[in-house]
Amino acid sequence: MAHLLLVDDDDDIVELVARFLRAAGHEVRTASTGEEGLRALRAAPLPDLLVLDVDMPILGGPGMAHKMLLHDAGEESIPILLMSAREDLPQIAARMGTRYFLQKPADPERFLEMLDRALRERGAPDSA
């Protein structure tokens, strides 16, 4: 079981994805804004992986990731899996330095494969 933090401003997506990830055996905390996501990172334990929406009001995914790096309290080592319907998602992911990204709506099997790959490469527990 991995500890995941899901940050997305769409309540329906948060509910659906959190339920899906919990059914896959993961512990999931959620936040609906980048600011809430940063506060959730301050609560122990640090997540093994962050599932992050790109476009959110006020503080979007790239801004949240940048603030994580500035805080430098362990958050900088958390892998980020980006999710967005944006066409330029691969370029955004490259600028953020993450290899893990999925277009919305994401295929559930592909989502779990990407999640498991990110967790394996970090050395965190996965659903296996």
Side-chain angles (χ1 to χ4, degrees):
M1 173 180 70
H3 296 273
L4 310 175
L5 176 59
L6 169 63
V7 184
D8 195 306
D9 63 327
D10 185 320
D11 292 338
D12 292 334
I13 289 175
V14 168
E15 182 180 331
L16 180 69
V17 173
R19 188 176 326 130
F20 173 73
L21 292 172
R22 288 179 182 123
H26 300 291
E27 181 178 305
V28 181
R29 289 185 288 163
T30 63
S32 59
T33 68
E35 295 86 355
E36 282 182 23
L38 289 171
R39 284 192 296 276
L41 287 172
R42 306 299 187 269
L46 281 176
D48 298 308
L49 182 113
L50 176 63
V51 179
L52 183 59
D53 183 28
V54 171
D55 292 317
M56 293 181 285
I58 303 171
L59 184 62
M64 181 181 164
H66 180 71
K67 288 185 179 255
M68 286 169 55
L69 292 173
L70 294 177
H71 190 255
D72 194 27
E75 294 100 334
E76 69 280 358
S77 66
I78 300 169
I80 297 172
L81 191 160
L82 287 178
M83 291 182 63
S84 178
R86 290 180 54 151
E87 295 288 327
D88 61 344
L89 182 59
Q91 293 83 7
I92 294 169
R95 284 194 303 271
M96 289 177 59
T98 184
R99 298 176 299 202
Y100 315 114
F101 57 91
L102 291 169
Q103 294 285 146
K104 288 180 183 176
D107 172 69
E109 187 173 311
R110 174 98 171 100
F111 183 33
L112 286 179
E113 287 171 4
M114 182 73 62
L115 182 88
D116 288 342
R117 184 178 125 213
L119 291 168
R120 271 194 321 275
E121 290 176 1
R122 180 176 193 227
D126 62 21
S127 59

